[in-house]
Amino acid sequence: MPSALDWLYSTQLFGIKLGLDGVHRLLTELRLPAAGQKIIHIAGTNGKGSTSAFIHSILKAAGHSAGLFTSPHLIHFRERIRDTQRCISDAEIESGLCRLRQHVQHWEPHPTFFELALALALDWFSQRENEWIVLETGLGGRLDATNAAAPIVSVLTPIGWDHMQFLGDTLEKIAAEKAGIIKPGIPVVTAPQSAEAMAVITRVAAQQGSQLIRVQQPCTHPLGLHGPHQQWNAALALAALQATGLTLSESAIADGLQHVDWPARFQTLRPGLILDGAHNPDSAQALAAAWRAAFGDQKAALVFGAVAGKDIQAVLHELAPICAEWHLTAFDSPRALSTAEVRQSLPTAETPIFEHPSPTHALRAIADKTPALICGSLYLAGEVLSLFQGQPESFQPSMQ
């Protein structure tokens, strides 16, 4: 008999539905989130997950009970829902989804995968009596299901080009969707932005009567995540926590920043082999800068796989200067592009190109090569991590 989690995955067939009517109804009927829980809401194009992880890690170090909702997962769905003690268990996923399935079985329109995942998370956070909740948006902001929850601070990471088919074809349009998480009278903290994005954020904050706090300097603490961009994500996390009014000790801040656990962000799998989830032009640019900071002028044997709907040509353009040879790979995702499709977007430079039917074959091809880099999609990163952990059967491919 299919599990409740299988049922949840089947709701991906309903696609992505931007809008808040359904999720407002769902959360209202379930009385979620629980009264008194303090929510930090994070949107942006790049660094959402890392910033969320820094905030959550600092709260943990300070002794606070905090839930964390992120997407997508790397290996298993339960990674999306955790608190400062553990991830949600398989049994809790099953029982929670069974209750949700019964509740919505006759709904028209049917709730989406992401709406149900959010409801499951908020229900678990309520049962766990988490004092704080860190919510990462899934897509955009204004019409994202997470925007149905009322935060005490809104956070905007760097805004760039991604999901244009949903969010718009200019930075102003994309920024307007992201800035849609700004609530009346609720402070908003922003990372440095392009002039176009900052103009939109400034205007929306003024319209909403929200204090706008701009991060001006990178964090100088030792960090558990590598790359110059993470110094800015950490600074944003600290500014967000300061905006909540929470008092934090220097030791809690230092401990939280240094012991953050967030895989597939310039993660060392073995000496000289790096795994990163960069999948859009800005994140690829940040990855290239992090690579140069770590490896200087050395170029990578670069394993790359991507999903449809991304500006792959621009991503590959950013990575080409650090690439010694391309290793294009297919991977287990319904959205994955074939290696032939990716090859069409490669720069024309005389760089050797190899194609592989799976990450297993790609890893075998670079086994003796160093330094090496794997990137292009978080879905690829998750499959690679499952292989390195010796548990490929635990990998759960997802469309969202």
Side-chain angles (χ1 to χ4, degrees):
M1 181 177 178
S3 68
L5 188 56
D6 290 330
W7 164 75
L8 178 64
Y9 280 127
S10 75
T11 65
Q12 292 182 332
L13 297 175
F14 296 119
I16 295 171
K17 175 171 63 67
L18 295 177
L20 300 182
D21 291 345
V23 72
H24 271 307
R25 176 187 174 188
L26 187 60
L27 298 188
T28 299
E29 292 186 7
L30 297 174
R31 297 180 181 178
L32 297 172
Q37 289 182 311
K38 297 185 280 276
I39 294 174
I40 300 174
H41 192 198
I42 299 148
T45 305
N46 294 302
K48 297 195 305 290
S50 296
T51 301
S52 299
F54 277 128
I55 292 172
H56 192 246
S57 183
I58 294 167
L59 288 169
K60 177 181 179 179
H64 294 280
S65 170
L68 175 64
F69 177 69
T70 58
S71 62
H73 63 266
L74 291 172
I75 299 175
H76 193 284
F77 176 85
R78 59 177 170 264
E79 299 165 26
R80 298 172 182 242
I81 304 169
R82 67 184 74 189
D83 65 9
T84 44
Q85 294 183 324
R86 62 179 177 87
C87 291
I88 189 172
S89 70
D90 291 339
E92 289 166 331
I93 291 171
E94 191 73 12
S95 62
L97 288 178
C98 282
R99 292 193 301 273
L100 281 172
R101 186 177 189 176
Q102 186 173 17
H103 190 86
V104 304
Q105 59 184 332
H106 300 303
W107 280 30
E108 288 292 342
H110 196 281
T112 65
F113 170 87
F114 191 76
E115 290 169 343
L116 292 164
L118 174 64
L120 176 67
L122 292 176
D123 181 49
W124 190 71
F125 298 151
S126 175
Q127 293 177 48
R128 299 281 290 174
E129 298 182 344
N130 294 135
E131 177 188 2
W132 294 82
I133 298 174
V134 184
L135 283 186
E136 179 197 8
T137 56
L139 178 63
R142 182 176 65 94
L143 298 176
D144 187 79
T146 58
N147 207 28
I152 63 168
V153 64
S154 304
V155 184
L156 291 168
T157 69
I159 295 169
W161 300 97
D162 207 357
H163 301 296
M164 284 87 79
Q165 68 273 37
F166 295 106
L167 305 180
D169 57 1
T170 68
L171 274 180
E172 288 87 349
K173 291 177 181 178
I174 296 171
E177 291 299 318
K178 306 285 187 182
I181 70 166
I182 301 174
K183 303 290 196 306
I186 302 299
V188 55
V189 184
T190 180
Q193 304 284 357
S194 67
E196 299 97 320
M198 188 61 79
V200 173
I201 294 166
T202 302
R203 183 181 72 247
V204 174
Q207 290 170 345
Q208 297 283 42
S210 301
Q211 179 189 12
L212 177 59
I213 302 163
R214 306 185 191 202
V215 170
Q216 305 282 1
Q217 300 290 334
C219 179
T220 56
H221 287 79
L223 303 179
L225 299 178
H226 302 290
H229 59 294
Q230 295 294 359
Q231 296 172 312
W232 288 100
N233 291 334
L236 184 61
L238 287 173
L241 286 166
Q242 185 177 16
T244 69
L246 183 65
T247 300
L248 294 164
S249 69
E250 279 299 317
S251 62
I253 291 171
D255 185 55
L257 291 174
Q258 194 157 16
H259 294 100
V260 62
D261 180 26
W262 201 236
R265 278 72 179 179
F266 212 80
Q267 178 183 0
T268 301
L269 296 178
R270 59 168 166 77
L273 176 59
I274 302 298
L275 177 68
D276 196 274
H279 58 272
N280 60 44
D282 289 333
S283 61
Q285 184 180 62
L287 170 57
W291 180 270
R292 293 186 186 97
F295 294 99
D297 293 332
Q298 294 185 83
K299 294 188 176 183
L302 202 154
V303 176
F304 185 88
V307 297
K310 303 293 181 181
D311 188 354
I312 300 306
Q313 191 168 6
V315 171
L316 294 169
H317 174 78
E318 295 292 346
L319 296 175
I322 64 167
C323 179
E325 55 188 47
W326 297 104
H327 289 265
L328 310 181
T329 185
F331 54 99
D332 189 3
S333 169
R335 295 173 55 199
L337 293 171
S338 69
T339 56
E341 289 172 310
V342 175
R343 186 168 188 147
Q344 292 175 356
S345 297
L346 280 173
T348 56
E350 297 297 319
T351 305
I353 303 168
F354 305 92
E355 297 183 45
H356 307 286
S358 72
T360 299
H361 290 83
L363 289 171
R364 196 174 297 144
I366 65 164
D368 298 324
K369 297 180 184 294
T370 187
L373 172 64
I374 305 166
C375 64
S377 170
L378 284 168
Y379 302 110
L380 169 62
E383 187 171 350
V384 168
L385 278 176
S386 72
L387 293 170
F388 265 80
Q389 293 176 8
Q391 298 179 320
E393 71 285 348
S394 66
F395 176 65
Q396 295 181 347
S398 175
M399 294 173 62
Q400 298 178 34

